Amino acid sequence: MYAGRYARTGPEVSRRPSSPKLAGYEAAPNIALVKYWGMRDDRLVLPNNSSLSMTVSQLRTRTWVRFDPSLPRDRFWLNGRPAAAGPLRGAVEFLDRVREEADVSSYAEVRSRNNFPTASGLASSASGFAALAGAASRAAGLQLTPRELSRLARQGSGSASRSVFGGFVEWQMGQRSDGRDSYARPLFLPDHWPELRDVVVIVSDAPEKAIRSANAMQETVRTSPAYAERLRTVPRRLAAIRNALRTRASDRFLELVIEECDDFRRVCETTVPSLDHLTPVSRAVLGAVLDLNRAAGHAIAGYTHDAGAHVHVFTLRPMVPQVRALLRRIPGVADTRVLGPGPAAREIRSTGR
Ligand code: PMV
């Protein structure tokens, strides 16, 4: 039986327990167009600014959870293997929150699979915790609304709050100290801008992620002299991106995506010690996008990246062949994948195993 101790998280999720069962959930990663970077409360994962992302197509995490009174501890199988210490700890802490809310006392078996490389900078923590939140809450007998699920997923990994929804999603930072008003909401459904494409550029020189984003961002909050200015400018940029998305104003949208990415990179690079997520190959990709836009006289593509070396290059569908060919010619680009706006997280019934 589970006998650990955990901090109460307050009335974060509703209690409508039914009996525990095996439950499965799938969720897609998202790429942030306005980044979440910095928390005012790192236990409840409450951010310093609202953020906005696109949930992507094709990539997904599928997770199955079963609470079992006969288990001596939580078990976590990631892509068919026992999970390493870091991911296991994160999952156990997250399961503790669910057990607390659902009044479940047994340990759980978790089986999770990504259809893309884990911890490769393709946001497996966002899809991972969104899928785990869905599967664990259902397995524990909780019936959560999408908003409640978003609040729960947020506490595993901030960006996971956004992967609960499909299409274009905003995580509103909220003001309350208990986090009840800090959750994501869908802005535009996936079919709002079906022409929009995200060409993911996989670079061959990407290192393993050295430090968790949740820790790295707090170093930025503490030490970057550019961070306060970023917090002042984000609300204006967020409104501008929301507006460009609403009107499908591609030039404006792509320019803003680059501006936000550059601002995010500035606060990372001015963190002490400096956070440098990019490799020489990633930098060549950014340079190629800027050259392309300069030569065209307007924005054809817009780059962004998260806390990793792979680069997401946004463009419109008719431009994909040209943009992709250009990026593939860059030495050190290992692969490109073309993604679009993707679906919301959902419960899955068949185990598929
Ligand atoms: O959700 P976390 O703790 O993995 O942090 C995500 C941080 C960024 O990916 C860089 C930005 C974001 O909003 O997704």
Side-chain angles (χ1 to χ4, degrees):
M1 292 286 273
Y2 173 75
R5 287 206 56 77
Y6 33 82
R8 267 207 72 83
T9 54
E12 277 290 288
V13 296
S14 68
R15 280 161 188 278
R16 274 169 246 133
S18 58
S19 51
K21 54 168 187 171
L22 173 70
Y25 230 83
E26 75 175 25
N30 66 76
I31 173 68
L33 303 167
V34 176
K35 314 289 177 188
Y36 142 60
W37 198 251
M39 288 174 272
R40 65 179 194 280
D41 181 325
D42 58 7
R43 189 178 63 86
L44 288 176
V45 190
L46 301 178
N48 282 334
N49 64 270
S50 297
S51 55
L52 192 156
S53 59
M54 183 179 93
T55 300
V56 301
S57 62
Q58 298 174 50
L59 312 185
R60 57 157 172 72
T61 301
R62 280 193 175 150
T63 298
W64 294 89
V65 176
R66 186 173 52 91
F67 290 94
D68 180 346
S70 72
L71 287 174
R73 68 184 72 84
D74 288 320
R75 295 219 175 106
F76 180 19
W77 300 85
L78 186 54
N79 298 319
R81 300 212 181 111
L88 175 63
R89 200 174 325 112
V92 168
E93 282 172 17
F94 190 79
L95 290 167
D96 285 350
R97 292 179 196 268
V98 175
R99 275 187 279 260
E100 169 83 356
E101 296 302 334
D103 258 341
V104 169
S105 56
S106 36
Y107 289 108
E109 180 169 82
V110 178
R111 290 182 183 270
S112 192
R113 260 184 203 283
N114 297 321
N115 70 348
F116 57 94
T118 303
S120 61
L122 298 180
S124 55
S125 77
S127 54
F129 277 105
L132 182 59
S137 59
R138 298 291 287 194
L142 294 172
Q143 297 267 12
L144 304 187
T145 64
R147 177 175 295 180
E148 289 168 326
L149 200 57
S150 173
R151 276 199 290 247
L152 176 63
R154 185 199 79 220
Q155 297 175 69
S157 157
S159 55
S161 66
R162 300 184 308 241
S163 273
V164 169
F165 300 100
F168 302 89
V169 181
E170 182 170 335
W171 170 16
Q172 53 180 50
M173 59 183 287
Q175 306 295 335
R176 294 172 58 124
S177 58
D178 65 4
R180 280 191 61 77
D181 56 355
S182 185
Y183 50 81
R185 62 192 176 102
L187 285 180
F188 306 105
L189 295 176
D191 63 0
H192 170 72
W193 198 355
E195 294 277 277
L196 195 63
R197 288 290 174 274
D198 169 10
V199 182
V200 186
V201 184
I202 312 286
V203 301
S204 58
D205 53 355
E208 279 279 306
K209 203 166 171 174
I211 159 170
R212 284 183 66 225
S213 290
N215 298 334
M217 64 179 71
Q218 296 306 80
E219 293 299 315
T220 299
V221 173
R222 270 192 291 279
T223 64
S224 168
Y227 188 68
E229 178 59 15
R230 167 166 170 77
L231 285 190
R232 269 192 294 279
T233 56
V234 160
R236 188 176 40 78
R237 196 176 304 121
L238 185 71
I241 291 196
R242 210 190 283 125
N243 204 35
L245 271 174
R246 188 173 53 75
T247 56
R248 301 183 200 90
S250 61
D251 279 34
R252 183 80 184 119
F253 173 77
L254 297 169
E255 284 162 10
L256 286 163
V257 167
I258 293 177
E259 183 186 302
E260 162 64 7
C261 177
D262 290 349
D263 191 44
F264 164 62
R265 196 168 55 259
R266 188 157 37 245
V267 296
C268 290
E269 287 174 353
T270 53
T271 297
V272 185
S274 176
L275 298 168
D276 185 3
H277 301 121
L278 299 187
T279 67
V281 180
S282 343
R283 286 181 196 282
V285 172
L286 307 195
V289 169
L290 293 179
D291 287 348
L292 177 71
N293 290 347
R294 214 172 289 125
H298 72 110
I300 286 182
Y303 59 69
T304 192
H305 57 81
D306 280 338
H310 306 306
V311 182
H312 295 246
V313 179
F314 280 83
T315 192
L316 296 182
R317 190 158 48 187
M319 300 309 299
V320 167
Q322 184 191 340
V323 169
R324 203 176 187 191
L326 174 88
L327 298 171
R328 278 175 159 167
R329 276 201 298 275
I330 298 171
V333 167
D335 197 9
T336 55
R337 288 196 64 170
V338 184
L339 310 177
R346 65 180 183 106
E347 187 168 17
I348 44 178
R349 305 257 172 214
S350 121
T351 59
R353 286 187 266 124

